[in-house]
Amino acid sequence: MRGGILRIVASCVVGGMLAPVAAWAGDAFAGDFDGKTLSVHLVPKGGEYAGEIRKGDAVFPLSAYEKGDYLVGNFSTPDGKFEFYARLTDSGISLTSAGKDFPLTRHHAAPAAQAEAARAKNPLDAKPAVNAHGAGALKEYTAVNSSEFGKAFTVEKPGAASLTAAFQATFPDLAKYFDEKPVIGGAYEDATNHASGGASFTAKLDGKAVNGFVSCKLDARGAKVAVVYCVADAPRGAWAALLAKPAAGGAGAAIALREYQFPDNTGTVGVAEGYSTTSPSLMIGVVIKGPAGQEVNLAFGAAVNTPDGPLVQTYRQMVANARQWGMQPPPPLPVNTLIAPYSDPAAALKDLWPQFSRMSQAANGPALTLERILSVQKVNTMLPNGQAALIEFDFTKTAAGVSTHFRSGIRWDMGPTTPGGWMIYTAQVVAPVETYQRDFPAMLAMATSLKENPQVIMEKTRINIEAANARFAALQQANHELQAAFDAQHRSWEHNQLIQSRSFADFDETIIGYRTVVDTNTGDRHSIDLGNVHDVVNHLNEFQPGRFKELPLRDEMYPLNGR
């Protein structure tokens, strides 16, 4: 059973390590894409996608859904429906149909001000087309990414000798760009690299509330600054698009990441300034910690046993046997043994959360209390016959009597494995409730930067599977030996009980004063008083030796060996 679980884990790691992170990060396939001969428009719709393919003047409606790393669907033409699939690339997507590949570049929408100005004038719309005092305010900045929800810029500030100086040179520019002076929500300096830091802010643009983040990195020439902002009520996919790797010719990513290579060479992950990780391997889960309790947890998988599964039932029987036979009970199941019925992602999270808390406390960590689930969005899963969802929820960490409130976004995949068992596979971001919204862009950038080394993972997976199978065989042998000890104890107990009962029967027979005599030919039985029974049997056997036998009460009621 254990080997089968690990093989499924291995297939998930090798075949789709990045798939859950990309899907959790937002609607990576959503948007407009242009190519030499055709263009594609994709819109999320109830966990799937709708839209159209355009080729010249022809328009073909489409429908699709995510499957692993791919988008799979069909488009309608006057001649019928035709299948296609698409995969993400650095610049957009690559669409394949009828054996032909069509590379398409993501079409970045015009800046919000230009989009407003380009609209057909509606006399009923009195809203100003642009933020007039912001026009040209960031003319020295290079736009990295842009959408209808926000923008990402980079700029160099020569001569800035400190992070404070870099921020002081940047925020006045932003004050001219936005409707009002931005409000700084928090700032940090990398404890291990004082040349790097960042600050979050809130502001308004054309009357709309926006959230943003400024990242600075000092070098010999001054400071390199990245600015990203997005309207406060934008869908999460908007942040993902702004933080995505820009098209060829772009100035660089909006959130600066330094590459961290796992010591066992299983892959790499990007780490934002102020965050750190010491994770030894991509295969056992990646933990990236932030300066104020933020966490990015990636590539975590675990096996779960159902309450009616063989592991739980066997353990319960062992406990019952030990109690019945007066033996020492078996040791408790390991604290990391997860037990829950197979249900839906939100219900499974609720069932397992108290067990996650016990695991945390067993490792001298805080107690974890699930407060409320804020949202659940079903998505396509990468697990065979499984299900998945994006879940956002609040929880508390309590240590030394002090509770801290956190918010988490988690991609939760779950699927059945063997009878009585299923597995989960997760990617998660965590931050204090107060800073979650501003922390999310940096955490998302790190989550989407995970890269794997498939060859190394395959080899290590093979070794792990062999080791797990050996451990499982040893566990089975230990269980067999324990059961044999229980059986021997039970047989010894039964024999002692039999001897004791036969002794009591001898006493009872003496009190009664009679013993049964059996005619072995006819089976007839007669009771003879103990004072004469030997003489009577001997006399009867003079004519037919061995025909008549005494049957003591102990043999009549408690025969040895069942006879």
Side-chain angles (χ1 to χ4, degrees):
M1 178 181 68
R2 190 59 176 247
I5 290 174
L6 286 176
R7 288 186 181 91
I8 292 177
V9 172
S11 68
C12 295
V13 170
V14 177
M17 176 64 72
L18 302 182
V21 176
W24 161 75
D27 296 314
F29 285 103
D32 294 292
F33 304 87
D34 299 323
K36 291 182 179 180
T37 59
L38 54 86
S39 62
V40 175
H41 176 63
L42 292 168
V43 179
K45 185 178 181 182
E48 298 184 350
Y49 291 82
E52 60 189 23
I53 298 176
R54 289 180 173 268
K55 185 174 183 180
D57 295 331
V59 178
F60 309 119
L62 65 82
S63 62
Y65 63 93
E66 285 189 66
K67 184 176 182 181
D69 292 336
Y70 292 88
L71 193 69
V72 180
N74 59 70
F75 59 91
S76 301
T77 74
D79 298 323
K81 291 186 176 182
F82 297 89
E83 295 182 347
F84 74 91
Y85 67 88
R87 61 180 176 84
L88 293 172
T89 64
D90 287 345
S91 58
I93 63 173
S94 177
L95 185 145
T96 302
S97 184
K100 296 182 179 179
D101 295 327
F102 300 89
L104 304 170
T105 301
R106 183 182 293 276
H107 174 69
H108 299 293
Q114 296 178 12
E116 288 285 342
R119 287 182 178 176
K121 297 302 179 181
N122 186 330
L124 299 181
D125 184 5
K127 178 182 176 182
V130 297
N131 167 10
H133 60 273
L138 302 183
K139 61 182 180 180
E140 296 179 356
Y141 289 62
T142 300
V144 176
N145 278 327
S146 178
S147 75
E148 60 182 307
F149 302 108
K151 288 184 180 180
F153 299 95
T154 60
V155 69
E156 292 192 7
K157 293 294 183 180
S162 66
L163 294 177
T164 299
F167 289 136
Q168 289 176 340
T170 302
F171 275 97
D173 297 340
L174 300 182
K176 297 176 184 178
Y177 181 82
F178 293 108
D179 296 351
E180 57 188 23
K181 183 178 178 180
V183 177
I184 298 177
Y188 72 89
E189 179 182 283
D190 189 346
T192 60
N193 180 6
H194 299 292
S196 300
S200 63
F201 67 86
T202 59
K204 285 190 176 181
L205 182 65
D206 295 334
K208 292 184 177 180
V210 300
N211 298 315
F213 191 84
V214 178
S215 176
C216 297
K217 188 174 182 66
L218 301 177
D219 58 24
R221 294 176 297 177
K224 293 181 179 180
V225 179
V227 179
V228 60
Y229 74 85
C230 200
V231 295
D233 59 352
R236 185 163 300 168
W239 279 107
L242 292 171
L243 294 171
K245 182 178 179 180
I255 299 294
L257 302 176
R258 66 182 184 279
E259 186 176 81
Y260 172 84
Q261 181 166 337
F262 301 110
D264 67 348
N265 200 33
T266 50
T268 62
V269 68
V271 181
E273 300 299 342
Y275 289 75
S276 63
T277 181
T278 57
S279 295
S281 174
L282 182 150
M283 296 183 64
I284 59 175
V286 179
V287 179
I288 304 174
K289 294 185 177 293
Q294 302 94 330
E295 288 186 13
V296 179
N297 303 315
L298 306 174
F300 277 87
V304 184
N305 300 277
T306 60
D308 59 350
L311 175 66
V312 177
Q313 292 301 313
T314 299
Y315 181 77
R316 287 175 177 169
Q317 185 60 50
M318 291 168 63
V319 171
N321 290 344
R323 186 182 299 114
Q324 177 183 350
W325 301 333
M327 299 182 66
Q328 287 292 327
L333 290 171
V335 69
N336 61 349
T337 302
L338 299 176
I339 302 172
Y342 184 73
S343 52
D344 61 82
L349 175 63
K350 292 179 181 178
D351 289 336
L352 291 174
W353 194 259
Q355 300 176 56
F356 294 157
S357 180
R358 288 195 293 272
M359 292 168 61
S360 173
Q361 294 176 80
N364 298 318
L368 308 176
T369 304
L370 181 63
E371 291 184 339
R372 64 187 65 86
I373 290 181
L374 303 174
S375 64
V376 179
Q377 178 187 349
K378 291 185 177 181
V379 294
N380 293 321
T381 183
M382 64 173 185
L383 298 180
N385 303 314
Q387 50 186 319
L390 307 177
I391 307 173
E392 194 169 74
F393 60 96
D394 288 346
F395 70 98
T396 59
K397 293 183 179 181
T398 303
V402 178
S403 296
T404 309
H405 297 271
F406 287 87
R407 180 158 295 170
S408 174
I410 190 169
R411 159 83 190 216
W412 181 285
D413 278 80
M414 57 188 292
T417 51
T418 59
W422 51 284
M423 72 168 296
I424 54 173
Y425 186 69
T426 64
Q428 181 187 27
V429 297
V430 175
V433 171
E434 299 79 10
T435 65
Y436 179 81
Q437 194 168 11
R438 70 172 172 81
D439 291 333
F440 187 81
M443 294 191 297
L444 177 59
M446 289 182 279
T448 56
S449 70
L450 193 65
K451 296 179 181 179
E452 61 181 5
N453 186 334
Q455 291 77 16
V456 174
I457 291 175
M458 283 291 291
E459 175 60 19
K460 290 185 176 297
T461 299
R462 180 189 65 78
I463 296 173
N464 288 343
I465 289 175
E466 291 177 354
N469 288 338
R471 288 194 298 270
F472 182 65
L475 177 61
Q476 282 187 315
Q477 179 62 31
N479 286 339
H480 289 327
E481 292 174 356
L482 182 60
Q483 187 65 47
F486 283 153
D487 292 342
Q489 175 76 8
H490 184 59
R491 288 192 299 270
S492 176
W493 177 83
E494 286 184 330
H495 179 73
N496 291 337
Q497 288 294 107
L498 178 60
I499 298 302
Q500 188 177 48
S501 296
R502 285 171 63 85
S503 177
F504 289 154
D506 287 341
F507 179 77
D508 292 341
E509 186 180 59
T510 301
I511 298 300
I512 295 171
Y514 288 90
R515 176 174 291 178
T516 300
V517 175
V518 179
D519 183 341
T520 60
N521 286 353
T522 65
D524 292 339
R525 297 189 178 202
H526 303 277
S527 294
I528 308 296
D529 65 272
L530 290 175
N532 298 306
V533 65
H534 297 311
D535 292 337
V536 170
V537 170
N538 290 335
H539 179 70
L540 292 173
N541 284 333
E542 289 178 357
F543 302 98
Q544 290 182 314
R547 175 175 175 178
F548 296 90
K549 290 186 177 181
E550 296 182 39
L551 183 60
L553 184 61
R554 64 176 179 272
D555 292 336
E556 187 174 4
M557 296 186 64
Y558 307 105
L560 290 173
N561 299 323
R563 296 192 298 273

